Structure formats: C-alpha cells, structure tokens
Amino acid sequence: VVPGDQVRIEVEVLAWREGSGRKAVRMQGTAMVDGKRAAEAIVTCQLVPKPGSAGAGQESSAGE
C-alpha cells in the first residue's frame, strides 16, 4: 500500500453480545487494494456509553 492507493475495508460482525448495559463485538475485517488483500484482522471491542450521556447510567445535568 502506497500513498494514493484506494483502500477498501470490508468488515463482518462475527459476534455481538449485550449485558450490564454494555455491548461486546467481535469483527473480522479485510483491507483490499486493487482487489488484492493488503491486511486482515479480527478485532474484539467493547462499546460503552460516553460519560455524561443518557445511556451512561447517570442523570443528565441539563437545566441545572
């Protein structure tokens, strides 16, 4: 991969689990350049609410 190449990233969700207000996701991704695989990875991440947001388990301080 060199500057100027167009990289197409394809991602497939392998698993999506929810519990305790959080979500865990495992994804498999492939980076393609000119139809050829340049990189691939399996990534596991956890999605958590942003502190202070309505989904964070805290009341909003709006209007105080």
Side-chain angles (χ1 to χ4, degrees):
V1 180
V2 297
D5 281 350
Q6 181 177 9
V7 180
R8 177 181 171 91
I9 300 174
E10 301 173 0
V11 179
E12 176 184 357
V13 175
L14 301 175
W16 183 283
R17 296 199 173 109
E18 296 187 42
S20 302
R22 296 183 176 185
K23 299 174 182 151
V25 183
R26 191 169 76 213
M27 300 170 281
Q28 178 175 347
T30 305
M32 308 288 285
V33 176
D34 292 329
K36 297 177 185 175
R37 183 177 55 221
E40 63 184 354
I42 295 177
V43 178
T44 302
C45 63
Q46 184 173 15
L47 306 174
V48 296
K50 182 177 177 180
S53 70
Q58 301 175 356
E59 291 186 29
S60 174
S61 60
E64 291 183 17

